[in-house]
Amino acid sequence: MKSADNTFSVEKAEESSGFLLWQVTNCWQRAIKKALEPFDLTHSQFVLLASIHWLRLQEQEVTQIVLSTHTKIDPMTTSTVLRTLQKKGFVGRQEHATDTRAKTVELTEAGKKVVKKAVVAVEKFDHSFFATLGKGTAAFNGHLLALLKVNNGDR
């Protein structure tokens, strides 16, 4: 028998977009963690390494704030993770040439080597994970982009 309490606006948990996103995100994060284990990288470390590589391939100067904005990782966490990557020998940081408050970030040779291998593994994993969507992948990505555009991580 159903309770008379109508706290929720949905009748079934699977009608809640937020709850579904939470569940899929947790499944995806558990699996991506396993995919990154051979590289001794956390997902945040991978995202920052891959973003540095991506932005440099786009011929952009990479600073910590550029990385934070690109990845939607808050600036303090970005700095902390970059320090760890620097200790691992994957990135180098130096003072910006014109902005004394900024630090530029570059991949070391070891960083380039590990990120190139990790990107292949992550792309293979993502392809497999999202294969269920088939031809709907582009629409799914469009919906995610629409959510990002409207919310911009500020809520």
Side-chain angles (χ1 to χ4, degrees):
M1 184 166 141
K2 277 190 174 179
S3 169
D5 181 345
N6 63 351
T7 302
F8 298 97
S9 64
V10 296
E11 289 187 32
K12 299 176 188 172
E14 55 270 13
E15 293 173 355
S16 169
S17 299
F19 186 57
L20 289 172
L21 181 60
W22 172 259
Q23 290 178 314
V24 171
T25 299
N26 279 311
C27 290
W28 183 81
Q29 286 179 333
R30 273 193 306 276
I32 198 76
K33 182 179 178 184
K34 287 180 186 175
L36 288 167
E37 280 176 359
F39 308 100
D40 189 30
L41 294 172
T42 66
H43 193 237
S44 295
Q45 290 170 355
F46 167 76
V47 168
L48 289 175
L49 285 176
S51 293
I52 294 165
H53 187 52
W54 172 266
L55 292 167
R56 290 302 298 141
L57 290 174
Q58 308 305 309
E59 299 183 359
Q60 290 188 37
E61 181 177 58
V62 182
T63 64
Q64 289 182 195
I65 201 67
V66 166
L67 273 176
S68 178
T69 302
H70 178 76
T71 62
K72 307 278 190 266
I73 299 174
D74 71 85
M76 290 301 290
T77 302
T78 298
S79 180
T80 301
V81 174
L82 285 173
R83 259 194 307 279
T84 301
L85 289 170
Q86 191 171 14
K87 287 178 187 171
K88 287 184 171 191
F90 294 150
V91 300
R93 297 188 297 173
Q94 55 248 341
E95 298 299 321
H96 191 278
T98 57
D99 184 351
T100 56
R101 298 166 298 161
K103 290 190 184 277
T104 58
V105 184
E106 291 284 338
L107 293 177
T108 63
E109 287 306 313
K112 288 176 190 174
K113 195 172 180 180
V114 76
V115 77
K116 287 178 180 185
K117 290 177 183 176
V119 165
V120 170
V122 167
E123 287 185 348
K124 180 179 177 184
F125 162 75
D126 275 351
H127 180 75
S128 173
F129 186 89
F130 294 105
T132 302
L133 299 175
K135 292 182 180 180
T137 302
F140 177 74
N141 289 349
H143 294 309
L144 292 174
L145 287 168
L147 290 170
L148 282 171
K149 184 177 181 182
V150 170
N151 294 290
N152 203 18
D154 295 334
R155 288 190 181 196

